[in-house]
Amino acid sequence: MKDLDHLKLPRAGETSSRFTKEQALAAQKFHQTLPGYSVTRLVELPALAKELGVKDIFVKDEASRFGLNSFKGLGGSYCLFHLLSEKYGWSGKVESFAQLKDQIASLEEKPKIISATDGNHGRGLAWICHLLGLRCEILMPAGSSEERQENIRKLGADCRRTDGNYDETVHEAERFALENDWLLVQDTALPGFEKVARFIMHGYLTMALETVER
């Protein structure tokens, strides 16, 4: 039997070393420098809370986040910030969106970005690549809607459907990235790319921090 210790939840009162307050603060610090950043609202649902017999229920409404109708821009932007900082040795020197954009503009050859998606992750990644002036290609599985493809194309990314399902499309993006030296910004923890997915998840911590700071 495989070791499943990594799947165990921490005991009550403990926190995971993979997701800390410090990481949340770092993500929020970067996100606050993004064009259009604002704290999304918490919507109270008193009727549902009463029905379930709890004190309060709140829903974090991410529809207004960066005009993307989704929270996914948080993960892709923060991950790309980290990947580029590591690739070019900018860690500790570049801390904001404006600094990141300036450094990218100074490169003779700009990195190219690829990912697979069934919708919102690809849209969020296309958005940040557009803002940074980076070429971005998004692969979508067979059967994906034309509307979702168009939403991504409107943000300046190349977007095409593959002949495979979601998992096959993810591996196609992985193969392309490895063979062509593109950056894979994938929210699936592929072997050898686990830190990419972790950076994306760290980006989502901004939502948690906004919630507790409300």
Side-chain angles (χ1 to χ4, degrees), residues 75-142:
S77 61
Y78 191 61
C79 180
L80 193 54
F81 163 64
H82 269 286
L83 294 180
L84 293 175
S85 295
E86 288 187 357
K87 180 178 177 66
Y88 295 105
W90 298 337
S91 298
K93 304 173 187 176
V94 171
E95 297 182 344
S96 70
F97 168 81
Q99 291 173 333
L100 182 63
K101 187 174 182 178
D102 286 345
Q103 289 289 353
I104 290 171
S106 70
L107 296 173
E108 291 186 8
E109 184 176 355
K110 294 179 175 58
K112 301 177 181 67
I113 315 302
I114 190 168
S115 185
T117 187
D118 59 5
N120 287 332
H121 169 67
R123 189 177 181 183
L125 188 59
W127 166 77
I128 189 61
C129 286
H130 176 71
L131 292 180
L132 292 171
L134 295 174
R135 180 179 174 185
C136 178
E137 181 160 347
I138 303 297
L139 307 185
M140 300 188 74

Side-chain angles (χ1 to χ4, degrees), residues 39-71:
V39 177
T40 54
R41 63 179 187 147
L42 280 177
V43 180
E44 188 173 6
L45 302 178
L48 182 59
K50 182 178 180 180
E51 180 180 343
L52 296 177
V54 297
K55 181 180 178 182
D56 296 301
I57 293 179
F58 293 89
V59 174
K60 191 141 177 58
D61 181 4
E62 290 293 302
S64 63
R65 182 77 72 180
F66 302 126
L68 297 172
N69 198 32
S70 166
F71 63 90

Side-chain angles (χ1 to χ4, degrees), residues 11 29 37 59 62 73 89 115 121 150 170 177 197 213:
R11 293 188 296 272
K29 181 180 178 181
Y37 170 82
V59 174
E62 290 293 302
S115 185
H121 169 67
E150 279 304 308
V170 167
E213 289 179 342

